[in-house]
Amino acid sequence: MVLVIAVVVSATAIALAVGIATANTEFSATFRTVALGPLQLTVSDSGPSAGLVWLAAISVIIVALIALAFEGIAALLSARPRRKVLSARRHGRRMLPPVGPVRITVLVPAHNAEASLPATLDSLEAQTRAPDRIIVVADNCTDGTVRIAHDRGYEVFESVGNVHKKGGALNQVLARLLNEAMPEDAFLVMDADTQLGHEYLAIAGQALDDDPELAAVGGVFFGEGGHGVLGQFQRNEYTRYSAEIRRRRGRVFVLTGTASVFRSEALLDVSAARGVYIPGIPGTTYDTAALTEDNELTLALKSLGSSLISPPECTVTTELMPTWRDLWAQRKRWQRGALENLSAYGITPGTVRYWGQQVGIGYGTVALISAMALMLITFLAVDQWVWFPFWVIIGSVFWLERVITAWSGGWRARGLAALLIPELFYDVYLQMVFVACLKDIVLGHDTHWGHVQRTHEPGEAP
Amino acid sequence: MSMLANGILLPQDLLNSLWFQVFAAFVAFNTVIYVGLTLSKLMVWPRQARLRAMAAHLPTGGRGGGGTGGAATPPGLPPEGAPATWNLRTSLVGNDAPIATAGLGALLILINAILFAWDPSGPATPHIVGLALGVAFIGAAQIMSRARLGQEAMSWS
């Protein structure tokens, strides 16, 4: 973590040095009036110096090259997967190619999910390719979850003495299932508050059938309806993320915990590698010490050189946070989970890109807050509205990007994006979560995790 | 981008002070970088390499060699009896050409936007044409990458 802070501070220092070197020290506000139809606009032609623009262009190229290098490292890891070495040494069970089409078992971990489970099961029944088996994994349920699953004719696995939340319950059921799994078996792990798009299983199954090297298929998640403006902020964020995954042709950052399919062989490799190549207790699939088990499992698979994909057709609709306080708690859990997982893994070829992402979030925080501070100071210090053509164009590019990337979310999404300022404040809110996490980790604060629908009893530390 | 005249809470001289100019240059530097990164994030990536297809071309082979006896060839893999240049030609048509076109479009937009901002008093039409051309190139790249043009497109190009 200190490393992330150090890199962000260094980058800020370099940018400040550029600022000092290129600052327009003889600045004097020279304005002219331009007539645009009936309007008289005060315009200033002053913009950043040529040196600054060139240095920025060079920086963009450097950042792009670093990003490409991260992709290259990931590609090299996948080309010579470490998991092949592992499975070659697995006792009694060598990795064999699947002999037939993939067989998908759905695992629905549920903790007191009687309200949301029926919709989840409905979405499974509506699949164009029916799952081969569905198991509701009831974890410490005190409500009607088990009854609902039984009434609808589904298998139920009840966790025994589990104190490790979702990851612990899944470990119990997977320990049993993986023991008798064949190479063509795959497991869809999906949350009980999530609904799959109708094509999800068909597309995911096809992807696994087409490419025997593919270890897992993730979903591309969208937000449920409702929850007012806060819901729209979250939906826009998810829409943009899914559009980015689409442009990256399914190259996924994190296999979503809401719904992802894993080949049995990949999970066996992970459990064999735990405690050796990757953190965790040997023999277990999920690392129960991780706050965000989906992020951790992605890191585990990536570290073993597994190929992962999130096809854009594999859509998932998931719950949104109804209040700002819930959003804070959710994001703090995600962010802190991601940072803690990275700390557990260290800097390795499999994680270097994720470290880079954290630095990106950190520097983005510095850049956005300083830009807003500059705008505020200028706003309070000028006595007339002045147009800077250079900044009008730069601002328009940002504005267009915001609107275009939210376009597929419908007119509400576009409208909110077009207002620009509210989404900027939403971004600042999420960046504050990042700052709070860094502060907690550096100061060694422990946090108890709340959730809209608590998955465990309060006070049960992860 | 623009400024509003009203309740002046801070002295206007502040805008001419050295620290403010350094701060403004710092923010300008970051902002130009983020515009570049934002535009680069809009680029469409090439398809993911198919490992099975790659493994068939490696000396060690994947596992069990190439054809696993499937009926139809999955998309992205060379059909039976395809020429040795199939992969190269497919990736040229499907990936490299659209990416190059989109890159050219982005470059046109960037150059024209910067040139226009530099000298807004000059003639605007060439810049507008340049910007429109840049947008058209990016649009064409999107269509090219989605249309999955066959190799036939290469044979006449």
Side-chain angles (χ1 to χ4, degrees):
Chain A
M1 273 341 88
V2 180
L3 186 76
V4 171
I5 296 171
V7 175
V8 171
V9 170
S10 311
T12 310
I14 293 170
L16 265 176
V18 170
I20 292 167
T22 58
N24 186 3
T25 45
E26 290 114 47
F27 178 82
S28 58
T30 48
F31 304 137
R32 62 195 170 84
T33 310
V34 174
L36 195 79
L39 297 171
Q40 294 286 319
L41 305 178
T42 308
V43 173
S44 167
D45 290 340
S46 70
S49 67
L52 185 142
V53 176
W54 277 115
L55 284 171
I58 292 167
S59 308
V60 170
I61 292 169
I62 292 172
V63 173
L65 286 177
I66 292 173
L68 278 177
F70 289 162
E71 294 298 329
I73 291 169
L76 280 177
L77 268 177
S78 314
R80 296 190 65 185
R82 189 182 248 167
R83 68 187 190 88
K84 277 195 173 172
V85 182
L86 283 172
S87 35
R89 285 160 195 265
R90 205 188 290 152
H91 285 295
R93 292 190 43 162
R94 299 287 297 269
M95 187 164 93
L96 298 167
V99 288
V102 72
R103 202 165 48 215
I104 300 178
T105 300
V106 181
L107 301 176
V108 188
H111 170 72
N112 290 345
E114 66 176 3
S116 58
L117 187 64
T120 303
L121 296 174
D122 288 344
S123 86
L124 283 170
E125 286 164 9
Q127 290 296 302
T128 54
R129 177 203 196 282
D132 297 275
R133 188 177 175 189
I134 297 175
I135 304 173
V136 175
V137 184
D139 180 36
N140 297 318
C141 288
T142 51
D143 67 350
T145 304
V146 174
R147 181 182 43 79
I148 289 171
H150 274 311
D151 287 352
R152 293 182 62 149
Y154 293 114
E155 272 180 70
V156 176
F157 176 92
E158 292 189 65
S159 62
V160 181
N162 175 39
V163 291
H164 295 298
K165 301 187 174 186
K166 183 173 147 189
L170 284 169
N171 275 345
Q172 288 189 5
V173 69
L174 281 169
R176 193 172 293 184
L177 292 172
L178 284 173
N179 204 27
E180 52 209 36
M182 301 302 288
E184 52 272 21
D185 273 314
F187 298 96
L188 163 64
V189 180
M190 70 175 295
D191 283 348
D193 54 21
T194 297
Q195 288 104 50
L196 303 180
H198 295 337
E199 296 262 272
Y200 187 108
L201 282 178
I203 301 285
Q206 190 64 48
L208 289 168
D209 281 338
D210 283 352
D211 186 355
E213 299 286 349
L214 192 61
V217 180
V220 176
F221 53 92
F222 294 87
E224 63 185 359
H227 305 305
V229 181
L230 180 58
Q232 195 58 52
F233 279 131
Q234 294 173 75
R235 278 190 290 280
N236 280 13
E237 187 191 358
Y238 291 170
T239 302
R240 292 200 176 96
Y241 181 71
S242 61
E244 189 182 351
I245 298 297
R246 206 175 311 133
R247 280 193 298 275
R248 291 169 55 87
R249 307 276 194 160
R251 288 176 183 80
V252 63
F253 297 115
V254 175
L255 287 170
T256 171
T258 53
S260 292
V261 188
F262 304 92
R263 219 185 262 287
S264 58
E265 297 288 323
L267 295 180
L268 281 165
D269 291 333
V270 167
S271 49
R274 289 231 182 263
V276 185
Y277 289 126
I278 51 177
I281 301 163
T284 57
T285 309
Y286 284 91
D287 180 7
T288 48
L291 265 177
T292 45
E293 68 289 322
D294 50 352
N295 174 282
E296 199 281 335
L297 192 58
T298 309
L299 287 186
L301 287 165
K302 287 264 182 188
S303 299
L304 300 181
S306 312
S307 344
L308 319 171
I309 195 169
S310 282
E313 299 88 353
C314 285
T315 57
V316 173
T317 308
T318 191
E319 66 160 0
L320 296 178
M321 294 299 107
T323 67
W324 288 98
R325 184 190 281 267
D326 292 325
L327 183 70
W328 182 272
Q330 180 201 44
R331 296 312 166 93
K332 208 165 172 197
R333 192 174 65 86
W334 288 0
Q335 186 61 58
R336 179 138 182 196
L339 287 167
E340 285 182 357
N341 289 340
L342 282 177
S343 296
Y345 275 76
I347 301 175
T348 67
T351 60
V352 66
R353 171 219 282 181
Y354 297 93
W355 283 101
Q357 268 181 345
Q358 296 302 326
V359 170
I361 297 173
Y363 196 75
T365 308
V366 173
L368 183 60
I369 291 183
S370 54
M372 291 180 90
L374 182 81
M375 280 194 271
L376 184 72
I377 294 170
T378 315
F379 180 82
L380 295 175
V382 289
D383 57 0
Q384 65 184 127
W385 189 300
V386 183
W387 294 92
F388 291 82
F390 182 88
W391 294 113
V392 168
I393 289 174
I394 295 284
S396 309
V397 172
F398 276 124
W399 183 80
L400 268 176
E401 188 265 344
R402 299 311 283 178
V403 176
I404 291 170
T405 50
W407 197 263
S408 61
W411 66 268
R412 279 200 185 93
R414 294 167 211 158
L416 187 63
L419 291 174
L420 203 67
I421 302 291
E423 286 202 325
L424 277 180
F425 278 102
Y426 178 73
D427 286 346
V428 171
Y429 186 81
L430 297 187
Q431 288 176 339
M432 287 306 101
V433 176
F434 175 77
V435 174
C437 281
L438 278 185
K439 195 190 96 197
D440 283 356
I441 291 176
V442 170
L443 298 180
H445 287 170
D446 217 6
T447 315
H448 292 285
W449 304 105
H451 198 255
V452 182
Q453 289 168 288
R454 293 198 82 91
T455 47
H456 280 80
E457 298 309 314
E460 191 182 281
Chain B
M1 180 161 63
S2 55
M3 302 166 185
L4 189 68
N6 56 37
I8 309 159
L9 284 177
L10 299 167
Q12 195 166 4
D13 285 352
L14 190 116
L15 302 183
N16 297 330
S17 62
L18 180 66
W19 77 264
F20 185 82
Q21 287 305 310
V22 170
F23 186 46
F26 168 72
V27 170
F29 179 66
N30 288 334
T31 309
V32 176
I33 290 176
Y34 273 91
V35 166
L37 294 178
T38 302
L39 289 179
S40 69
K41 272 174 92 176
L42 291 177
M43 302 253 292
V44 178
W45 288 55
R47 278 193 198 92
Q48 286 205 53
R50 306 296 297 246
L51 286 167
R52 187 161 51 147
M54 274 166 59
H57 296 283
L58 293 174
T60 47
R63 54 179 132 113
T68 40
T73 312
L77 290 183
E80 287 293 320
T85 53
W86 192 92
N87 276 337
L88 177 70
R89 293 172 64 168
T90 311
S91 103
L92 266 178
V93 175
N95 302 331
D96 304 338
I99 289 170
T101 315
L104 194 65
L107 211 63
L108 270 173
I109 292 175
L110 206 64
I111 290 171
N112 279 289
I114 290 173
L115 286 179
F116 182 60
W118 222 281
D119 181 20
S121 50
T125 323
H127 300 311
I128 293 169
V129 171
L131 282 173
L133 215 62
V135 173
F137 269 121
I138 291 180
Q142 297 289 330
I143 295 166
M144 281 163 78
S145 63
R146 278 170 173 68
R148 296 195 182 177
L149 300 175
Q151 288 186 57
E152 298 73 26
M154 277 303 287
S155 47
W156 52 257
S157 62

